[in-house]
């Protein structure tokens, strides 16, 4: 048996790799071969006339008959020399598709699938091994046996540098009522492609899982720094009223959360058996699959399972489903993890592939030499090459030379001329005539190989961490300093509005709206408004205040970019401003309505809160009151009780009535029946009491005690305001 023919160029048809290599109905592994319908490691001839056990072969250049293949019992199948690149890739992503960890394990496997026939002199040439730890691109294997211990050659490898995640997966969570239209395929695909160039060094953990709990506790700070994660293509941000995601839900309310899971394969060939499993936490109820662009999704208990038989390259696919959730406390809720498994046939190792494969197995060839009955010395000859093995063999060169003249060939074929030989088949050349009185002894040169099957098998998993749903909730109240004003006079009523973030979600937008202003009851100007944030006064931009028709509005937008940051849980805001009452007529009323509007970042369903608002009445009544002071000696000399009285002797309630009493410098004061404010409004100690409301005919008595010191004069205590 001869090897390596110089005069002809050996054709080494490159087989397709893996089951997903072809998009045709038949799964070809080489020209003229496809895998068997049964999973038995065999391949079968295709594109042949099945009506005869004989297959004629022709010269590819001249078209002349060169010989024929005789099938054994019509068998058109056989085994291959199997070469596999097996890669296991496990990727962990955070909710924004950033790679947290990537673990890669590769194995090169050369297998003998036959239990009967050995393989030997195996020469394997790899290409593009530079990105791997494989030591050589040429692998020589002397022999592979037929039992489990001897039938496989294996070599492990890993990838040296950084690699891309070739299956982009991202989950989108949106709590807005219009979430279905927001989560459209066009915008999702644009966002998903931003993760296309993200890489990680295989085998490394970018982020240890043990740190995730700590990071969740710091999420509020991280959200303020994640502006770029929500960037729009035109340079805008989610704060510009656009975001695919919204994480805020309202307390004591039925919330609907819409989920969208998007995938896009960056593999060069289709991937198969894609299975997406969404784990639904117990807080969620009534999961409903709304739409799938490919494959089938079903609810299986507390999981959504999405199965896709084949996912084509560079195609974005989408699953949408909804869940309900109702909460009555501010504990943050997780949305559940996502797991994806798939099989691919394109190597992660930047083009790692099989370039050439040669292997030999059991074979047989001979020349039939028959002397003619009526023409002694004239011989009819033909070459027979037999494949007695279980393998499919490619006879890519067969030469038979004249015994006397090497330049004379009776058989001259190349790989284009002879089809593949299945198990047990024979190839018979066309006959030639030879004249000789002696026994002919032809020189022969044959080259063949076991047909290979090159497979790249990638078993991939992707784990996507969940996201936190924040509970948005606010409370608050509002008061006026007085609720009655005189008719036909100008009077300011001071409004004080308080707001507390009693949820778990930081708030990025706050709007206070008060309405039903008119000519008699007018809103404040921007410079008349004061705001205290957790007790500290903050500056208010004049552009944040507007008045349109009867509606007055204060808007605090995009707080995450402000010096104060977002309105955090347990924080408080206090707004104070005057309501200008301008000559109201008798019985005029200001019956107003106040609404607090808030929203999170990213934007979610807007939260509303309406505090109870008192009514301001204009009363056509005149104020009449009596203030008195009495000094009563008590105890030891120099001790006196001061009795102050204020009496409403009119018919109108009195509001915010102020009593002042001066204490002489030579007296000390104590024992108040109503604690006063100590002021120096008149240059010496002055006691001040404010009476919020004194009804008609109501009388209030306030007492305190003084004690003289030094050169005091009791008559000084008689002085009053």
């Amino acid at each position: 048996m001869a090897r390596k023919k110089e005069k002809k160029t050996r054709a080494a048809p490159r087989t397709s790799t893996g089951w997903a290599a072809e998009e045709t109905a038949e799964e070809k592994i080489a020209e003229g071969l496809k895998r068997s319908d049964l999973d038995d490691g065999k391949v079968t001839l295709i594109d042949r006339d099945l009506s005869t056990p004989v297959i004629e072969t022709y010269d590819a250049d001249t078209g002349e008959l060169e010989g024929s293949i005789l099938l054994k019992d019509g068998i058109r199948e056989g085994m291959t020399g199997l070469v596999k690149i097996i890669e296991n890739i496990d990727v962990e992503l955070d909710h924004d598709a950033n790679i947290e960890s990537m673990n890669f394990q590769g194995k090169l496997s050369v297998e003998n699938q036959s239990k009967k026939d050995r393989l030997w002199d195996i020469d394997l040439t790899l290409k593009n091994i530079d990105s791997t730890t494989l030591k050589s691109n040429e692998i020589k294997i002397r022999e592979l046996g037929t039992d489990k211990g001897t039938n496989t050659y294996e070599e492990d490898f890993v990838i040296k540098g950084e690699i891309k995640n070739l299956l982009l997966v991202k989950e989108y969570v949106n709590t807005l009522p219009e979430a279905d239209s927001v989560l459209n395929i066009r915008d999702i695909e644009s966002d998903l492609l931003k993760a296309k160039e993200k890489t990680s060094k295989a085998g490394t953990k970018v982020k240890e899982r043990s740190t995730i709990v700590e990071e969740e506790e710091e999420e509020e700070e991280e959200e303020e720094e994640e502006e770029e994660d929500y960037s729009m293509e035109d340079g805008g941000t989610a704060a510009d009223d656009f975001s695919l995601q919204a994480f805020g839900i309202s307390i004591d309310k039925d919330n609907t959360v819409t989920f969208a899971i998007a995938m896009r394969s960056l593999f060069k060939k289709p991937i198969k058996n894609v299975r997406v499993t969404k784990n639904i936490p117990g807080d969620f109820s009534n999961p409903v699959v709304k739409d799938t662009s490919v494959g089938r999704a079903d609810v299986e208990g507390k999981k959504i399972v999405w199965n896709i038989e084949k996912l084509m390259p560079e195609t974005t696919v989408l699953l949408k489903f909804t869940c309900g959730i109702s909460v009555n406390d501010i504990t943050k809720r997780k949305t559940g993890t996502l797991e994806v498994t798939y099989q691919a046939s394109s190597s992660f190792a930047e083009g790692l592939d099989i370039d050439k494969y040669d292997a030999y197995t059991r074979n047989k060839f001979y020349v039939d030499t028959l002397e003619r009955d009526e023409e002694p010395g004239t011989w009819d000859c033909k070459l027979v090459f037999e494949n007695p093995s279980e393998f499919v063999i490619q006879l890519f060169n067969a030469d038979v030379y004249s015994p006397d003249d090497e330049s004379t060939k009776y058989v001259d074929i190349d790989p284009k001329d002879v089809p593949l030989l299945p198990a047990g088949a024979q190839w018979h050349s066309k006959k030639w005539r030879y004249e000789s009185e002696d026994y002919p002894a032809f020189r022969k040169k044959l080259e063949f190989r076991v047909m290979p099957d090159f497979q790249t098998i990638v078993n991939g998993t992707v784990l996507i961490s969940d996201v936190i749903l924040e509970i948005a909730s606010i409370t608050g109240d509002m008061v006026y300093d007085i609720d009655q004003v005189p008719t036909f006079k100008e009077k300011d009523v001071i409004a004080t509005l308080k707001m507390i973030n009693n949820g778990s979600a930081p708030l990025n937008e706050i709007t206070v709206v008060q309405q039903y202003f008119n000519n008699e009851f007018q809103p404040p100007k921007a410079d008349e408004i004061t705001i205290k944030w957790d007790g500290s006064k903050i500056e208010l931009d004049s552009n944040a205040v507007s008045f349109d028709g009867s509606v007055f509005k204060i808007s605090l937008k995009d707080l995450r970019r402000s010096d104060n940051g977002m309105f955090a849980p347990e924080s408080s805001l206090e707004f104070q401003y005057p309501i200008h009452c301008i000559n109201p007529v008798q019985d005029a009323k200001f019956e107003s309505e106040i609404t607090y509007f808030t929203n999170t970042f990213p934007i979610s369903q807007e939260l509303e809160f309406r505090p109870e608002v008192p009514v301001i009445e204009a009363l056509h009544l005149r104020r009449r009151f009596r203030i008195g002071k009495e000094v009563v000696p008590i105890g030891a000399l120099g001790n006196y009780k001061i009795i102050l009285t204020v009496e409403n002797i009119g018919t109108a309630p009195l509001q915010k009535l102020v009593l002042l009493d001066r204490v002489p410098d030579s007296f000390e004061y104590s024992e108040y029946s109503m604690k006063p404010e100590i002021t120096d409004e008149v240059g010496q100690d002055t006691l001040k009491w404010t009476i919020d409301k004194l009804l008609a005919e109501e009388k209030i008595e306030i007492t305190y005690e003084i004690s003289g010191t030094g050169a005091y004069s009791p008559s000084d205590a008689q002085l009053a305001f």
Side-chain angles (χ1 to χ4, degrees):
M1 177 179 66
R3 300 176 65 185
K4 306 302 180 188
K5 184 172 181 180
E6 301 297 334
K7 294 175 65 177
K8 292 186 179 180
T9 302
R10 170 188 164 185
R14 177 65 178 98
T15 64
S16 303
T17 59
W19 44 259
E22 299 291 336
E23 297 173 22
T24 59
E26 294 180 308
E27 192 179 359
K28 296 181 180 179
I29 69 163
E31 189 63 35
L33 280 184
K34 71 170 184 177
R35 283 184 175 76
S36 171
D37 293 335
L38 299 175
D39 186 17
D40 55 6
K42 293 182 180 179
V43 295
T44 185
L45 299 182
I46 59 175
D47 300 326
R48 299 296 176 196
D49 183 1
L50 300 179
S51 63
T52 173
V54 177
I55 302 173
E56 294 181 335
T57 66
Y58 298 87
D59 187 290
D61 296 324
T62 66
E64 294 181 0
L65 180 68
E66 278 204 327
S68 59
I69 295 175
L70 179 63
L71 301 176
K72 180 181 180 181
D73 300 327
I75 295 174
R76 296 171 179 270
E77 293 182 335
M79 293 183 173
T80 58
L82 184 58
V83 181
K84 294 192 292 188
I85 297 171
I86 304 170
E87 299 177 352
N88 296 309
I89 180 79
D90 301 316
V91 180
E92 293 184 9
L93 305 175
D94 67 11
H95 185 73
D96 293 317
N98 298 306
I99 298 173
E100 291 188 334
S101 71
M102 184 175 284
N103 185 41
F104 177 93
Q105 294 178 325
K107 185 185 296 293
L108 174 69
S109 174
V110 184
E111 300 179 20
N112 177 11
Q113 302 184 88
S114 175
K115 303 297 183 183
K116 203 169 76 171
D117 297 307
R118 288 184 292 176
L119 294 173
W120 59 83
D121 286 351
I122 302 167
D123 289 339
L124 179 66
T125 304
L126 306 173
K127 56 184 178 181
N128 300 323
I129 70 168
D130 293 343
S131 63
T132 74
T133 56
L134 290 169
K135 296 179 181 179
S136 174
N137 66 338
E138 293 186 356
I139 297 174
K140 296 183 181 298
I141 305 168
R142 178 179 298 172
E143 192 169 8
L144 291 177
T146 56
D147 56 48
K148 189 173 181 180
T150 63
N151 67 346
T152 303
Y153 168 88
E154 293 182 339
E155 187 173 337
D156 294 331
F157 67 90
V158 295
I159 295 176
K160 294 179 181 177
E162 292 194 340
I163 58 175
K164 293 180 182 178
N165 174 30
L166 295 180
L167 182 62
L168 304 182
V169 186
K170 190 170 181 180
E171 179 186 45
Y172 298 85
V173 180
N174 198 302
T175 57
L176 293 171
E178 64 274 16
D180 187 59
S181 60
V182 171
L183 296 174
N184 61 81
I185 187 69
R186 177 180 57 84
D187 290 334
I188 283 178
E189 183 173 77
S190 176
D191 180 76
L192 187 64
L193 288 175
K194 295 174 186 176
K196 194 170 185 177
E197 299 304 319
K198 293 180 180 179
T199 62
S200 175
K201 185 172 179 58
T204 63
K205 261 193 180 299
V206 178
K207 187 188 299 180
E208 295 296 332
R209 300 298 294 176
S210 61
T211 66
I212 292 178
V213 174
E214 298 174 11
E215 291 177 350
E216 289 175 355
E217 295 174 352
E218 299 170 358
E219 276 187 0
E220 292 176 6
E221 297 178 7
E222 291 178 352
E223 285 176 348
E224 297 175 15
E225 299 172 356
E226 288 178 349
E227 298 168 10
E228 293 182 2
D229 289 348
Y230 298 94
S231 296
M232 294 167 56
E233 288 183 326
D234 60 2
T237 67
D240 299 326
D241 297 327
F242 177 83
S243 176
L244 288 170
Q245 305 203 72
F247 305 138
I249 58 175
S250 300
I251 197 170
D252 296 327
K253 183 178 179 181
D254 291 332
N255 300 272
T256 297
V257 183
T258 300
F259 296 82
I261 301 171
M263 287 190 298
R264 186 179 180 92
S265 172
L266 304 181
F267 287 96
K268 295 180 180 179
K269 301 169 186 175
I271 63 175
K272 184 183 178 184
N273 296 336
V274 183
R275 181 181 174 90
V276 180
T277 303
K278 169 65 179 180
N279 298 300
I280 302 174
D283 292 313
F284 291 86
S285 62
N286 192 32
V288 177
V289 174
K290 293 295 185 181
D291 186 33
T292 54
S293 62
V294 67
R296 178 183 175 87
D298 298 289
V299 179
E300 299 181 6
K302 296 298 286 185
K303 298 178 185 291
I304 299 282
V305 179
W306 183 19
N307 288 297
I308 303 172
E309 290 186 6
K310 183 182 289 188
L311 179 58
M312 303 304 293
E314 298 294 346
T315 302
T316 300
V317 296
L318 191 64
L319 159 68
K320 286 186 187 179
F321 65 95
T322 60
C323 289
I325 184 170
S326 178
V327 298
N328 55 16
D329 59 55
I330 64 171
T331 304
K332 300 176 182 180
R333 264 63 175 188
K334 292 186 176 183
T335 57
T337 57
L338 194 66
E339 302 167 13
V340 183
T341 60
Y342 64 93
Q343 292 176 300
S345 59
S346 302
S347 174
F348 270 85
E350 296 183 356
L352 176 63
D353 212 337
I354 311 300
D355 188 38
K356 188 181 70 172
Y357 174 92
D358 284 327
Y360 290 85
T361 188
R362 189 157 59 105
N363 63 90
K364 180 179 180 182
F365 60 92
Y366 49 86
V367 175
D368 283 343
T369 311
L370 305 177
E371 188 174 20
R372 294 179 180 178
D373 291 338
E374 298 178 358
E375 298 181 60
T378 301
W379 307 83
D380 289 322
C381 311
K382 69 174 179 179
L383 173 68
V384 179
F385 180 88
E386 182 177 343
N387 174 17
S389 74
E390 291 188 303
F391 295 99
V392 175
I393 286 180
Q394 180 189 22
L395 177 62
F396 57 83
N397 189 24
D399 294 336
V400 178
Y401 300 91
S402 168
D404 305 318
D405 184 1
E406 189 173 323
S407 63
T408 300
K409 286 186 180 180
Y410 297 108
V411 177
D412 184 11
I413 67 168
D414 61 33
K416 296 181 292 184
D417 300 340
V418 181
L420 304 174
L421 301 178
Q426 296 177 337
W427 179 75
H428 295 250
S429 74
K430 67 179 181 179
K431 294 181 180 180
W432 71 89
R433 178 173 174 273
Y434 184 76
E435 294 182 1
S436 174
E437 294 300 325
D438 298 324
Y439 294 109
F442 299 103
R443 289 183 293 167
K444 298 166 288 292
K445 184 176 183 181
L446 288 91
E447 294 181 279
F448 70 93
R449 66 166 179 168
V450 172
M451 278 299 291
D453 185 8
F454 304 153
Q455 298 181 19
T456 300
I457 302 171
V458 177
N459 299 307
T461 67
V462 182
L463 176 65
I464 299 95
S465 60
D466 50 15
V467 71
I468 301 297
L469 291 186
E470 301 280 4
I471 314 302
S473 180
I474 55 171
T475 188
D477 58 26
M478 76 83 55
V479 295
Y480 294 129
D481 64 335
I482 58 174
D483 56 15
Q484 294 177 338
V485 295
T487 57
F488 306 110
K489 293 185 67 175
E490 294 187 5
K491 178 69 174 178
D492 287 347
V493 177
I494 304 302
T496 302
L497 287 64
K498 293 183 179 179
M499 179 188 302
I500 298 174
N501 184 347
N502 65 336
S504 63
L507 302 175
N508 190 49
E509 297 181 0
I510 296 171
T511 301
V512 175
V513 176
Q514 185 170 11
Q515 53 187 333
Y516 308 136
F517 286 94
N518 53 44
N519 291 334
E520 294 178 311
F521 300 95
Q522 298 181 10
K525 305 293 188 295
D527 59 2
E528 296 176 314
I529 302 170
T530 60
I531 302 179
K532 291 182 180 179
W533 189 317
D534 290 333
S536 299
K537 187 176 179 180
I538 65 171
E539 295 296 325
L540 178 65
D541 191 327
S542 60
N543 294 327
V545 179
S546 64
F547 180 67
D548 182 13
S550 66
V551 179
F552 165 68
K553 184 183 295 185
I554 304 172
S555 299
L556 305 179
K557 298 287 188 180
D558 203 13
L559 292 174
R560 66 195 180 97
R561 298 180 187 272
S562 69
D563 294 338
N564 298 288
M566 289 198 283
F567 187 46
E570 301 183 5
S571 287
S572 65
L573 277 173
E574 182 179 286
F575 301 83
Q576 194 171 84
Y577 52 82
I579 306 295
H580 300 301
C581 304
I582 311 297
N583 302 322
V585 299
Q586 185 174 349
D587 296 329
K589 292 183 179 180
F590 182 48
E591 296 179 282
S592 181
E593 184 177 288
I594 292 177
T595 308
Y596 302 157
F597 296 96
T598 62
N599 215 320
T600 59
F601 178 82
I603 291 175
S604 60
Q605 187 171 357
E606 191 170 53
L607 187 67
E608 297 182 14
F609 179 80
R610 289 184 172 86
E612 185 177 348
V613 182
V615 177
I616 301 175
E617 297 181 277
L619 300 180
H620 193 64
L621 299 172
R622 294 299 177 252
R623 294 161 291 177
R624 295 181 176 90
F625 60 92
R626 177 183 295 134
I627 295 178
K629 179 175 181 179
E630 182 180 0
V631 180
V632 179
I634 58 172
L637 295 178
N639 294 320
Y640 302 89
K641 176 186 284 189
I642 307 299
I643 304 173
L644 302 177
T645 58
V646 56
E647 183 179 0
N648 186 347
I649 57 176
T651 58
L654 301 175
Q655 298 187 47
K656 299 300 180 183
L657 188 63
V658 175
L659 289 181
L660 296 173
D661 196 32
R662 185 183 63 188
V663 180
D665 291 340
S666 55
F667 285 89
E668 295 180 352
Y669 43 89
S670 62
E671 303 297 328
Y672 320 104
S673 63
M674 181 187 297
K675 189 173 181 179
E677 177 185 354
I678 312 299
T679 72
D680 59 354
E681 294 184 18
V682 294
Q684 63 187 80
D685 284 355
T686 302
L687 306 183
K688 179 179 179 180
W689 292 267
T690 300
I691 300 171
D692 289 333
K693 180 178 280 191
L694 190 65
L695 300 177
E697 300 182 3
E698 185 180 4
K699 180 179 179 180
I700 291 180
E701 183 177 278
I702 300 173
T703 65
Y704 69 95
E705 296 180 8
I706 61 174
S707 178
T709 60
Y712 66 91
S713 174
S715 60
D716 290 342
Q718 295 291 137
L719 298 177
F721 293 120

